[in-house]
Amino acid sequence: MKFDMKKDKKITLSIKCQNIAPINNLSKDIQSDSLKIGIFADNGSGKTFISRLFRLTENRENPSEQDETFPTDELLSFGQDNGKFEISVKGKDGEIKDDFQITINRGKFPSIPKTKYLYHTFNQDYVKDNIKNYEKDSEIEGFILGKINIDLNEEEKELEKIEKEKRESIDQIKEGIDKHVKEKTSSIEGIARFNKYKDLNYQKVSEGIDKEKLPVSKTTEELIADYNKVKSAPENLSDIQPIERVNFDSDLLKKIRDSIEEKYSLSSFAEEFKQKVKNEQPFIERGVKLQKENAKICPFCKQELKNDALRLIEEYTKYLEDTESEKIKLFKGYAEKLDKYIDDLHGLENNNTDRINSFNEYKAKYIPSRGGVELQKIQSEQLIKNIQAVIEKIKEKVKDISKSIVVEEELISKIKEYQDLIDETVAESNREIEDMNSRKNKISEEMKYTKEKICESIHNDLVDKYRDKIKDINSKDESINKLKEEIKKKREQEKISKKSEVASTITKVLNYFFYGKYTFDKETFRLKFHEKALETGQAKNVLSEGEKNIIAFAYYMGDSHLKIENESDYERLFFIIDDPISSMDFSHVYTLCKVVKDIKKIIIKLSKELSKERFIIFTHNNDFMRIITSSEIINKTLLLKNSEIKGFNTKFTVPYISHLLDIYNIAKNHGSPNHTTANSIRHIIETLTYFQNILTSTNSIRSYIETNFPNDKNLYLAIQDLSHGAWRSEQAPIHPDRYVNICKAIIDHIEKKYKGQIDYCKTVCDNQILGENYN
């Protein structure tokens, strides 16, 4: 019985991406002998987004929730609100070496898991964030040398216990807050858009326990009832009409006072009459005439008068009576005006009561924000009482107009004071009515105000509800900080400085590239150019773009030490390197490959090499991929394309091999000639020419063809014409059968001289791996 031989056990790296920028749904199990992997990807395939996700694991502290921007939103695919990134590593023995997941939700900070490997990521974000001025901070703490001899077991267990309790308490409060908020606001449309709603979170509630409550006069239930009132307000609700003030002539009181204080007697009327006689010449002449015509007794001279004189006397008497009557009529007119004013005041009271009722109805039913506003009642009793006092004085005057009636100045002042008070009340009420009408006509503003007050009230409720629990969490913080400080003090006894390790590593990497042109000062932590230290900000002006990336990569290697807390952490390092050769000269590309190959020697842990190295290198550069593959820097080559990771045949990164396979397929009838065939023929012949003849001339290709293909007189002219840009007619310049014959001749020629090349082509085609996926 025969048994199939078991395959060698492999390391399995599982990677999953969902809705991460251009990667819609990627799931791949990568099996390899070691974690030294190269992934080729064109720009826009998503390699940089994957490196950014790895980089998230390096900072487990979320940004402040007070920030309004969420940089992780940029990692999501267009139109998607959530995404996932999962990594799992299973060793050859089947043991899980690492397993973590990051979930990205739009508008939220992701929870960063604690990973078993220490991922260290180099990409353009690293360059931008850490090497802006290409100057290094020399303030670097130490790391722990070997295992600690001091027993920290109890302290660490206690710390872990308290931290776990704290996390559980916070999670419970967060869950309670979310539940409470949803219960209270589920029926309120659009409230989640308000900033005050977004503040209903653990952070803000926690801050609120030591602050004054937000200014809210109603309970949450009352405010929700207010919201429903506002929501029910009819669209055609009429305005409340303003209160019309009562106009009063303040000069009238002065006229009344002056008139009733004056004494009116017959002598005073006679004096008026005399003056009237003087002013009326015809009346005088008439009196003279009467005196001449009739000598009867005259009242003035005691002589006899007859009918005309008697009529004159009657007129005089009547005049006196009419003058008295007019004065009485005037006084009565004053009293009527004051009575009318009293009636107007009663009407004003009724009008004001009507507006109060309407106002109260609106605020109770539709505009609850005005609930605390009360329109004032018109207080006219005292004013009416004082006006009636003036009327009584007028009546007294009417009884005897010859009597002087005094109106006290204090009475006049009181009436003015009470009138002004009523006018102020009316003006204030009208302002409140105008505001009520404005809010009614802008119901959306009223709705916004009510929703904000609901949020403030819920915040106050949450603060009251969780105050004791949050204080307990804060006390745990004090215990945690105290324990951490104790542990730190004990660990410091066994720490050595990272500074020398960082500086040493940076110097090593710089020496790979620059051979002394650029060096690193271990004391000042500054870059030096030909032994001269560069001033602050000077480095970015001195370095070329390629040199900047080299310096950044050197710092990146040095920063590896900053991830170390214990000596054993070195064995947890996992390097994620995204296109490190940007803008580099090609000679520097080879050097960078050498640096990666020597990582174990460069990252020294206390004079000991790393026992193993782990890295994933992303690139879109064919030549770089070819070098790291052929130099055995990586042992797994992959292609990231269209949200898939496939096997990548690096032989295709050598143009000669690709062209040769095209010609081989045509010669063996596995493919048809096309517009690139002439270029493939030319490339192959040029390569063979240069390989055979190191010293070449401009006619070397023609000579090679004439020597090795003497029977084909048109081959040189054909490939010259067809491999250069020129206008072509629709007719094919060479018949496909002719192409096939040329390809056969070339393959036969190469098989005679370099048989191994054709054997390779045969193997590729026979196994049908050309253009297919494989691992």
Side-chain angles (χ1 to χ4, degrees):
M1 182 179 293
K2 293 183 178 179
F3 294 91
D4 292 332
M5 293 183 65
K6 293 183 178 180
K7 292 182 179 180
D8 292 338
K9 290 185 177 180
K10 303 281 187 181
I11 297 172
T12 301
L13 169 64
S14 298
I15 179 170
K16 293 181 181 180
C17 280
Q18 185 178 6
N19 298 334
I20 299 298
I23 303 174
N24 296 324
N25 195 357
L26 182 154
S27 180
K28 181 69 175 177
D29 290 338
I30 302 166
Q31 293 189 332
S32 177
D33 291 326
S34 68
L35 290 174
K36 294 191 288 186
I37 298 169
I39 299 180
F40 181 85
D42 289 331
N43 285 327
S45 298
K47 62 182 179 60
T48 299
F49 287 92
I50 294 176
S51 73
R52 286 171 175 167
L53 288 161
F54 274 112
R55 193 161 184 249
L56 279 178
T57 67
E58 300 183 51
N59 182 11
R60 300 188 67 247
E61 296 294 328
N62 283 336
S64 170
E65 293 189 6
Q66 295 179 357
D67 293 346
E68 297 181 358
T69 57
F70 300 87
T72 51
D73 286 358
E74 299 174 359
L75 299 176
L76 291 170
S77 303
F78 288 125
Q80 300 297 327
D81 291 325
N82 53 70
K84 282 185 179 181
F85 177 63
E86 297 180 48
I87 290 292
S88 175
V89 180
K90 186 183 294 184
K92 293 180 180 180
D93 56 1
E95 182 183 350
I96 298 296
K97 303 297 182 182
D98 202 357
D99 187 8
F100 70 87
Q101 173 182 305
I102 299 175
T103 300
I104 308 293
N105 291 303
R106 189 175 299 281
K108 292 184 179 180
F109 294 107
S111 178
I112 306 302
K114 189 173 183 179
T115 61
K116 294 179 181 178
Y117 287 132
L118 295 176
Y119 296 97
H120 188 31
T121 305
F122 179 88
N123 57 16
Q124 287 306 304
D125 294 339
Y126 173 88
V127 177
K128 178 182 177 182
D129 294 343
N130 295 286
I131 319 292
K132 289 182 180 177
N133 293 316
Y134 299 89
E135 293 158 358
K136 199 71 178 163
D137 184 2
S138 62
E139 296 299 322
I140 298 175
E141 296 180 356
F143 65 93
I144 298 169
L145 175 63
K147 291 186 177 180
I148 308 176
N149 295 322
I150 302 172
D151 184 11
L152 295 174
N153 189 51
E154 291 301 321
E155 288 92 337
E156 288 178 338
K157 279 186 177 179
E158 180 65 17
L159 177 61
E160 183 178 356
K161 175 177 172 289
I162 298 175
E163 287 181 332
K164 182 182 178 182
E165 290 174 352
K166 175 189 171 183
R167 287 193 301 272
E168 289 175 349
S169 296
I170 291 175
D171 289 343
Q172 287 176 0
I173 293 175
K174 286 182 176 179
E175 184 179 349
I177 289 173
D178 289 343
K179 182 179 178 181
H180 183 90
V181 172
K182 287 177 182 177
E183 286 178 353
K184 296 298 182 183
T185 63
S186 59
S187 63
I188 302 175
E189 298 176 3
I191 195 170
R193 296 194 299 268
F194 286 76
N195 288 331
K196 290 187 177 182
Y197 178 89
K198 294 174 183 177
D199 286 344
L200 298 176
N201 55 55
Y202 174 80
Q203 181 70 25
K204 291 294 184 180
V205 172
S206 178
E207 293 172 0
I209 66 170
D210 294 322
K211 296 179 180 178
E212 291 185 6
K213 285 189 175 183
L214 298 177
V216 185
S217 59
K218 296 183 178 181
T219 66
T220 302
E221 286 69 25
E222 289 172 337
L223 288 167
I224 292 173
D226 287 348
Y227 163 78
N228 292 323
K229 292 176 184 177
V230 177
K231 191 176 178 182
S232 67
E235 294 182 2
N236 57 350
L237 194 62
S238 60
D239 284 354
I240 300 175
Q241 295 302 310
I243 303 168
E244 295 183 8
R245 64 185 296 274
V246 173
N247 294 317
F248 180 70
D249 184 4
S250 58
D251 292 335
L252 179 63
L253 290 176
K254 295 179 181 178
K255 291 180 182 178
I256 293 172
R257 180 189 61 189
D258 293 341
S259 296
I260 65 177
E261 283 185 356
E262 186 176 347
K263 296 179 181 180
Y264 298 99
S265 62
L266 293 178
S267 61
S268 65
F269 292 156
E271 196 63 37
E272 287 181 11
F273 180 75
K274 290 177 184 178
Q275 188 63 38
K276 185 174 181 181
V277 170
K278 289 180 181 179
N279 293 336
E280 295 182 10
Q281 186 64 29
F283 182 81
I284 297 172
E285 291 175 352
R286 183 183 176 194
V288 172
K289 184 179 179 181
L290 289 173
Q291 185 180 17
K292 288 179 179 180
E293 290 177 353
N294 198 325
K296 288 189 178 181
I297 298 172
C298 174
F300 302 105
C301 59
K302 303 296 183 179
Q303 295 181 359
E304 182 181 0
L305 296 175
K306 293 192 176 181
N307 292 335
D308 287 340
L310 294 173
R311 264 194 312 273
L312 180 62
I313 293 170
E314 288 177 359
E315 288 180 6
Y316 171 71
T317 304
K318 185 179 179 182
Y319 170 78
L320 295 180
E321 292 173 349
D322 288 345
T323 302
E324 183 179 17
S325 176
E326 285 177 5
K327 291 297 181 183
I328 292 172
K329 184 179 179 180
L330 174 66
F331 296 140
K332 289 183 177 180
Y334 287 153
E336 288 176 359
K337 285 184 180 180
L338 293 179
D339 284 332
K340 174 64 169 56
Y341 180 53
I342 290 174
D343 290 340
D344 289 344
L345 287 174
H346 288 306
L348 175 62
E349 287 183 349
N350 294 333
N351 183 269
N352 184 66
T353 300
D354 180 64
R355 298 301 185 272
I356 290 174
N357 292 336
S358 297
F359 189 91
N360 290 342
E361 179 185 4
Y362 276 37
K363 73 181 183 181
K365 288 184 177 181
Y366 315 118
I367 314 296
S369 64
R370 309 309 292 155
V373 177
E374 296 289 341
L375 298 188
Q376 297 182 46
K377 290 185 177 181
I378 298 296
Q379 303 291 339
S380 61
E381 294 85 355
Q382 291 298 323
L383 176 58
I384 291 173
K385 181 179 178 181
N386 283 277
I387 292 172
Q388 287 174 337
V390 175
I391 293 174
E392 291 301 319
K393 289 183 178 291
I394 294 174
K395 289 179 179 179
E396 186 179 351
K397 182 68 174 177
V398 168
K399 290 178 181 178
D400 184 359
I401 63 173
S402 65
K403 184 178 178 181
S404 175
I405 305 298
V406 177
V407 179
E408 296 83 359
E409 183 63 31
E410 183 181 0
L411 181 60
I412 301 298
S413 299
K414 283 290 184 182
I415 292 174
K416 178 74 167 57
E417 180 183 336
Y418 290 134
Q419 176 63 44
D420 289 343
L421 184 61
I422 289 175
D423 287 344
E424 288 176 11
T425 301
V426 170
E428 177 62 27
S429 294
N430 283 337
R431 281 194 290 272
E432 296 296 347
I433 290 171
E434 183 180 2
D435 183 68
M436 173 69 81
N437 290 333
S438 176
R439 289 173 183 266
K440 173 185 68 66
N441 295 330
K442 296 178 181 178
I443 202 68
S444 61
E445 292 295 322
E446 181 68 15
M447 187 73 77
K448 177 182 176 183
Y449 171 85
T450 306
K451 288 177 181 179
E452 287 181 344
K453 286 299 177 183
I454 288 172
C455 292
E456 290 178 359
S457 179
I458 291 174
H459 174 273
N460 290 342
D461 294 343
L462 291 170
V463 169
D464 289 340
K465 184 176 182 179
Y466 292 108
R467 178 178 278 106
D468 291 341
K469 290 185 177 180
I470 291 173
K471 285 184 177 180
D472 183 59
I473 289 172
N474 292 341
S475 68
K476 282 184 171 62
D477 275 335
E478 294 177 6
S479 300
I480 288 170
N481 292 333
K482 185 177 180 181
L483 275 170
K484 284 183 176 179
E485 190 63 30
E486 290 175 1
I487 292 171
K488 181 179 177 181
K489 286 179 181 178
K490 290 183 178 181
R491 282 181 171 171
E492 288 294 337
Q493 300 173 32
E494 298 294 328
K495 277 193 174 183
I496 65 171
S497 174
K498 292 179 184 176
K499 182 175 179 180
S500 61
E501 300 296 328
V502 173
S504 175
T505 300
I506 293 173
T507 299
K508 285 180 188 177
V509 178
L510 292 178
N511 287 339
Y512 270 77
F513 287 93
F514 298 124
Y515 311 104
K517 176 183 177 182
Y518 294 108
T519 56
F520 191 72
D521 191 319
K522 296 181 180 180
E523 297 302 321
T524 64
F525 260 54
R526 283 198 176 181
L527 195 66
K528 297 171 72 175
F529 176 64
H530 292 311
E531 297 304 318
K532 182 178 180 181
L534 297 177
E535 298 298 327
T536 302
Q538 190 177 11
K540 61 183 179 182
N541 298 320
V542 172
L543 298 167
S544 68
E545 289 304 314
E547 288 174 333
K548 287 177 182 179
N549 277 283
I550 291 170
I551 301 299
F553 195 77
Y555 285 175
Y556 164 73
M557 298 302 290
D559 279 349
S560 302
H561 299 285
L562 301 184
K563 305 185 76 63
I564 304 303
E565 289 295 328
N566 295 281
E567 183 184 359
S568 60
D569 287 343
Y570 279 106
E571 299 302 334
R572 298 168 57 209
L573 285 171
F574 197 133
F575 298 92
I576 307 296
I577 304 171
D578 178 20
D579 262 335
I581 62 168
S582 178
S583 303
M584 286 187 191
D585 293 340
F586 203 76
S587 60
H588 287 151
V589 173
Y590 281 108
T591 306
L592 187 136
C593 291
K594 177 62 173 170
V595 171
V596 176
K597 190 175 182 68
D598 289 351
I599 278 181
K600 286 201 299 185
K601 298 178 181 178
I602 293 171
I603 308 297
I604 299 294
K605 54 165 188 173
L606 308 176
S607 301
K608 296 178 184 178
E609 290 186 6
L610 297 176
S611 62
K612 62 180 69 176
E613 68 271 56
R614 305 176 194 85
F615 50 77
I616 299 176
I617 300 176
F618 294 95
T619 184
H620 68 276
N621 187 289
N622 265 313
D623 291 323
F624 180 53
M625 190 70 175
R626 174 175 54 80
I627 295 170
I628 61 177
T629 303
S630 61
S631 303
E632 297 183 346
I633 294 172
I634 59 176
N635 59 18
K636 191 68 176 180
T637 56
L638 300 166
L639 170 68
L640 171 61
K641 185 176 182 181
N642 297 329
S643 297
E644 292 184 279
I645 291 180
K646 306 176 180 180
F648 185 62
N649 188 350
T650 54
K651 297 295 189 298
F652 299 150
T653 63
V654 182
Y656 174 80
I657 298 298
S658 298
H659 288 304
L660 182 59
L661 283 164
D662 287 344
I663 298 303
Y664 179 86
N665 277 295
I666 294 170
K668 300 300 180 182
N669 294 318
H670 298 317
S672 301
N674 56 44
H675 62 284
T676 67
T677 303
N679 279 322
S680 295
I681 294 170
R682 181 182 180 88
H683 184 92
I684 290 167
I685 293 176
E686 282 184 337
T687 303
L688 294 173
T689 300
Y690 294 139
F691 180 74
Q692 182 170 305
N693 304 308
I694 302 301
L695 298 174
T696 62
S697 66
T698 55
N699 295 322
S700 59
I701 299 172
R702 176 184 291 179
S703 299
Y704 191 90
I705 291 173
E706 290 174 351
T707 301
N708 295 285
F709 304 94
N711 297 324
D712 197 326
K713 304 300 183 183
N714 298 319
L715 177 57
Y716 175 72
L717 291 176
I719 66 172
Q720 277 289 92
D721 178 50
L722 297 176
S723 62
H724 290 81
W727 178 261
R728 310 288 181 214
S729 66
E730 294 183 1
Q731 182 179 355
I734 298 179
H735 192 276
D737 291 344
R738 176 75 178 126
Y739 261 132
V740 173
N741 291 333
I742 293 173
C743 292
K744 286 180 178 179
I746 293 172
I747 295 301
D748 290 342
H749 170 71
I750 295 173
E751 190 169 21
K752 290 176 184 178
K753 296 178 73 70
Y754 313 108
K755 185 175 182 298
Q757 294 185 17
I758 304 306
D759 289 341
Y760 170 75
C761 292
K762 185 176 185 300
T763 302
V764 171
C765 293
D766 287 349
N767 287 285
Q768 297 182 341
I769 65 169
L770 179 62
E772 293 182 359
N773 302 332
Y774 66 94
N775 287 322

